[in-house]
Amino acid sequence: MSVPSDVASPFAVRLLDAFAVRCAGRAVAVPPSGQRLVAYLALRIGAGRTVAAGALWPEASEEKSQASLRTAVWRVNRAAPGLVVTRGTHVSLAPDTVVDNREFTARVRRILQPSTDAQPPPVDDDGYAWLLRGGELLPGWYDDWVLLEQEHTRQLRLHALEAAARRMAVHGRHAGALELAFEAVRLEPLRESASSAVIAVHLSEGNAVDAVRHYEWFRRLLDAELGLQPSAQLTALARGQVVPPRGPTGDRSVTPW
């Protein structure tokens, strides 16, 4: 995913699929210790200096970690003047900094927000293609403070792919819906809700044979990998005992086993 551009903001930070910083539209070379500081602050709305120093340099004494923090702040602001702001015991990114992960999270939350009326929610103009273009948070980073955020972002993307697939199917855009659902399966083959989205799309299009075929694939995989069986809910869906949402034409042909 590309770093979002916003002419009103001088700074943009990219965390998805790679790390990058842009200042006034130009790429900025931030040294490694500065990258970790910028990423840490981009994942939260600032932090106390002691907390930030302890998270970024956990093996160092408090005195040394504080010194390392001061050095990192200086190096970042030498490369991108004003990007890191320190006020008393608090350190943060400049308040107008654009962070792609924050925008990604906001878009996902809009997909996951339940509809407030009987009408199906609208579909993104690009059919949620942005969900197919990546979205891994800081790949190759293994700091303790990164790992939880990586899993959080991964789970958000999986939920968004599944919800967007179902939304597309309701609007009758089955090919796009399947692409989204299969991307969720590719990311996590053993995730039942991902396979449920695939099966639901097939059924909403009237393709019961494809739905059963995918169910059987998932059942065999789950048994081989974990010695488990699909839930009763998924089995009922695949057997046509649970009917998926109607498409815009009202068709929802389902053939039970």
Side-chain angles (χ1 to χ4, degrees), residues 20-174:
V21 173
R22 298 184 73 85
C23 179
R26 292 188 174 187
V28 174
V30 177
S33 63
Q35 291 181 19
R36 294 172 69 248
L37 174 61
V38 171
Y40 180 84
L41 296 176
L43 289 171
R44 46 194 49 77
I45 308 301
R49 294 174 65 96
T50 300
V51 173
L56 293 170
W57 294 276
E59 304 301 325
S61 66
E62 182 175 349
E63 182 180 357
K64 288 186 177 180
S65 65
Q66 288 285 349
S68 296
L69 176 63
R70 289 192 294 271
T71 300
V73 170
W74 177 80
R75 287 176 175 170
V76 171
N77 284 338
R78 184 176 64 171
L83 175 56
V84 176
V85 177
T86 57
R87 292 187 176 91
T89 61
H90 193 261
V91 59
S92 65
L93 297 183
D96 52 359
T97 302
V98 175
V99 179
D100 64 348
N101 190 54
R102 295 177 187 174
E103 295 199 339
F104 174 81
T105 300
R107 295 182 80 176
V108 166
R109 285 175 176 163
R110 286 195 291 272
I111 296 174
L112 300 179
Q113 185 174 4
S115 178
T116 56
D117 53 42
Q119 296 299 317
V123 172
D124 268 14
D125 292 338
D126 69 350
Y128 306 107
W130 54 277
L131 280 170
L132 300 170
R133 292 194 288 265
E136 183 181 359
L137 180 73
L138 296 171
W141 290 44
Y142 302 106
D143 303 74
D144 288 343
W145 54 269
V146 174
L147 296 177
L148 182 61
E149 299 291 347
Q150 288 172 333
E151 178 61 14
H152 178 223
T153 300
R154 190 180 75 88
Q155 288 292 330
L156 279 177
R157 186 177 176 220
L158 285 165
H159 279 91
L161 285 164
E162 294 163 4
R166 295 176 187 275
R167 185 177 295 188
M168 291 273 282
V170 168
H171 283 270
R173 298 171 63 172
H174 297 101

Side-chain angles (χ1 to χ4, degrees), residues 200-245:
V201 174
H202 281 316
L203 292 177
S204 70
E205 198 174 11
N207 293 328
V209 172
D210 289 328
V212 171
R213 183 181 296 119
H214 185 83
Y215 171 84
E216 284 296 326
W217 170 85
F218 178 72
R219 183 185 63 78
R220 290 192 298 269
L221 178 68
L222 195 63
D223 180 57
E225 295 292 330
L226 300 176
L228 299 175
Q229 291 296 309
S231 70
Q233 291 86 348
L234 187 68
T235 302
L237 176 65
R239 288 178 174 173
Q241 296 170 358
V242 177
V243 181

